Amino acid sequence: MDEAEHDERLAAGFAAGDERCMEAVYRRWRPLVHALAQRSLGDEREAEDVTQQVFLAAWRGRSRYRPGPGGLGAWLTGITRHKVADALEARTRRARAAAAAARVAPATGSASGAPRPVAEQAVDRLVVLGELARLPSAQQRVMRLAFYGDLTQAQIADRTGLPLGTVKSHMRRALHQLRRSLPEAAPALR
């Protein structure tokens, strides 16, 4: 079997929902997707995030895949371009928020005694809120009740009607995701 036939079989299995084909598709096209993201974004961490987003979006949208010129590789390239554009737009929004906060906020002291601009604190809050918004709705709800409502896990279980174990699981998964997406804040999340 030549490479084109192999790619067609992978694409057909992928579109049909075969998880083994998904793994093979990831191994086959990850280097291409990552290289495109890295070249466009110039940041390894963002490129890795975009690469994961591309394959997640492709898997979720596999029913919309239609073979065409370039096959699955071309389809994944198109998804990559959209995800790169989203990442660049998010970068622009963060930069605008930081610039706006810097224009209006004076510096204040931090816990270590070193001055920490209020602008940085505002940007940190915006970033955390953005990452919270990316969590699944059940995890968002648990985290918001815990941190903004100052409720214990048992109180959250009572309020939501969820079993305590489910509340704990949602919180653990949410904190794990936040640790991965907010590496500079990870010590504070432990």
Side-chain angles (χ1 to χ4, degrees):
M1 172 183 341
D2 70 0
E3 187 175 341
E5 288 177 29
H6 178 69
D7 288 351
E8 285 177 25
R9 284 189 180 196
L10 277 180
F14 171 83
D18 183 337
E19 290 183 18
R20 289 177 305 191
C21 286
M22 174 56 186
E23 290 174 28
V25 163
Y26 182 79
R27 283 191 307 272
R28 165 78 170 86
W29 281 286
R30 183 202 175 280
L32 170 68
V33 168
H34 187 269
L36 290 170
Q38 175 68 34
R39 191 172 339 135
S40 298
L41 297 168
D43 180 89
E44 178 61 31
R45 181 174 173 255
E46 276 187 301
E48 194 56 47
D49 287 346
V50 165
T51 300
Q52 291 176 8
Q53 291 171 22
V54 166
F55 285 98
L56 182 61
W59 182 249
R60 287 180 177 162
R62 66 187 178 276
S63 64
R64 293 186 302 275
Y65 170 69
R66 301 290 177 262
L72 188 57
W75 188 64
L76 291 168
T77 299
I79 295 172
T80 303
R81 290 175 200 247
H82 284 100
K83 295 299 181 185
V84 164
D86 292 346
L88 289 170
E89 177 59 31
R91 185 188 288 176
T92 301
R93 281 192 309 270
R94 286 191 304 269
R96 282 188 201 135
R103 284 192 302 270
V104 298
T108 62
S110 69
S112 66
R116 183 152 184 257
V118 172
E120 275 185 38
Q121 295 171 10
V123 170
D124 288 349
R125 279 194 295 276
L126 288 173
V127 170
V128 170
L129 286 173
E131 291 303 320
L132 273 174
R134 294 175 66 183
L135 294 173
S137 61
Q139 291 177 18
Q140 276 185 46
R141 185 174 184 206
V142 167
M143 294 299 285
R144 289 179 192 280
L145 288 170
F147 291 102
Y148 298 127
D150 200 26
L151 300 178
T152 66
Q153 291 175 339
Q155 291 169 325
I156 293 169
D158 288 341
R159 180 170 294 180
T160 62
L162 294 170
L164 180 58
T166 301
V167 169
K168 289 179 178 184
S169 294
H170 284 326
M171 189 166 270
R172 181 181 45 79
R173 283 192 291 272
L175 286 170
H176 178 73
Q177 177 60 35
L178 289 172
R179 278 187 201 110
R180 287 189 302 146
S181 60
L182 300 168
E184 300 82 32
L189 293 173
R190 286 195 171 92

